[in-house]
Every structure is written in structure tokens, then in C-alpha cells.
């Protein structure tokens, strides 16, 4: 199992980094990556999402991708650069919501708007997010980002 996880990380790392993304840390079997809004373009994020969908068929492990656009607080610790804040918490909670929807890839409303793909995404439905008072509509990846398109 450890070898498959190492192969998965080795296969996914370039899918982020070759498209202007940065990996902040590995959390269990998850990669926490981000794109800086002042240097990355929506096309970079979309290219990374497309690459993840292509990789999915070859991946040694099943995985979910969740994407949100928001603010993050950067700080330094003995573990290196740490990201925190409400939007970072939102991303981690989105992963559980994606699992509940049976989704392997899910976008938040702000990600859909920022990426300019509102007219291309279907809704999974509305969901509450633990610790937040609002309900949010979550979206599937546009069909043109999946290999079958």
C-alpha cells in the first residue's frame, strides 16, 4: 500500500507543478495544493484539472479532487509554510461533501466563477458545510475536462 501511495504522489506532483501550482503539504493520503491568484491564470488550474482526469485512469489509487477559490493565511512553522483560514477549512470540509455526493471531482461556487466555467458545470446540489451557516451549491467538472469528452 505504501508503494502505491508513493507512486500516486509521484504521478500527481507534476500535474500540479507543471501548471503553475504549488504543493503545500501532504495530509495522510491527500495533497494540499494551491495556485497564487497573482501568478496563476484560470487556464493553469483548468489544465491541471484536465491532467488529473487523464491521470485517473492510470492512477494506482482512487482519488477525489476538490477545488475552491478563496483567501489563505500564510505563516511559517517548524513544519514549513502553513496555510490557514476559513477558506482552507472550507476545502477540507468540501472533500467530505464530495464523498457524500459520490463525486470524484467537485468545485465550489467561487471556483466555478473564478475559472469562468459557470455555463459549463452541472450542479451536484446544495449542502451545508460544517461550522458555516450558509448552504452552498457544488458543481461537477465540465465534461470537456474529462478524457471522454
Amino acid at each position: 500500500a505504501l508503494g502505491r501511495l508513493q507512486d500516486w504522489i509521484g504521478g500527481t506532483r507534476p500535474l500540479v507543478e507543471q501548471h503553475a501550482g504549488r504543493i503545500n503539504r501532504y495530509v495522510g493520503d491527500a495533497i494540499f495544493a494551491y495556485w497564487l491568484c497573482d501568478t496563476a491564470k484560470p487556464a493553469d488550474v483548468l489544465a491541471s484539472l484536465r491532467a488529473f482526469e487523464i491521470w485517473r485512469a492510470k492512477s494506482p489509487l482512487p482519488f477525489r479532487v476538490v477545488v475552491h477559490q478563496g483567501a489563505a493565511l500564510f505563516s511559517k512553522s517548524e513544519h514549513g509554510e502553513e496555510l490557514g483560514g476559513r477558506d482552507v477549512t472550507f476545502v477540507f470540509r468540501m472533500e467530505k461533501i464530495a464523498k457524500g455526493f459520490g463525486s470524484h471531482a467537485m468545485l465550489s461556487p467561487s471556483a466555478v466563477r473564478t475559472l469562468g466555467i459557470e455555463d459549463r458545470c452541472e450542479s451536484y446540489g446544495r449542502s451545508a458545510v460544517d461550522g458555516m451557516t450558509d448552504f452552498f451549491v457544488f458543481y461537477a467538472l465540465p465534461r470537456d475536462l474529462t478524457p471522454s469528452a
Side-chain angles (χ1 to χ4, degrees):
L2 179 59
R4 289 190 324 197
L5 180 60
Q6 290 170 330
D7 290 346
W8 182 78
I9 289 170
T12 57
R13 183 178 198 100
L15 306 180
V16 172
E17 294 176 345
Q18 290 175 355
H19 300 288
R22 299 178 184 182
I23 294 176
N24 174 251
R25 61 185 158 139
Y26 299 94
V27 184
D29 61 352
I31 294 174
F32 184 57
Y34 64 95
W35 287 258
L36 292 171
C37 62
D38 59 344
T39 57
K41 297 172 181 59
D44 295 321
V45 178
L46 292 170
S48 185
L49 290 172
R50 186 175 291 112
F52 268 97
E53 289 306 300
I54 292 167
W55 166 250
R56 187 176 299 286
K58 302 181 266 194
S59 175
L61 297 172
F63 63 90
R64 249 184 306 287
V65 173
V66 297
V67 180
H68 175 60
Q69 189 278 329
L73 304 172
F74 287 82
S75 63
K76 297 282 184 191
S77 77
E78 69 233 22
H79 305 291
E81 184 177 71
E82 297 282 336
L83 273 71
R86 179 185 166 136
D87 286 307
V88 172
T89 300
F90 186 88
V91 169
F92 285 103
R93 292 181 180 162
M94 266 183 75
E95 193 277 332
K96 289 179 175 58
I97 294 167
K99 183 178 181 180
F101 280 132
S103 169
H104 67 271
M106 191 172 80
L107 299 111
S108 73
S110 63
V112 168
R113 277 190 309 277
T114 302
L115 296 172
I117 56 176
E118 300 98 318
D119 59 336
R120 295 167 37 203
C121 295
E122 292 182 31
S123 166
Y124 280 121
R126 289 170 34 101
S127 178
V129 177
D130 286 344
M132 299 181 186
T133 57
D134 294 332
F135 278 77
F136 297 87
V137 177
F138 293 99
Y139 298 90
L141 283 179
R143 293 186 200 278
D144 60 347
L145 290 182
T146 61
S148 60

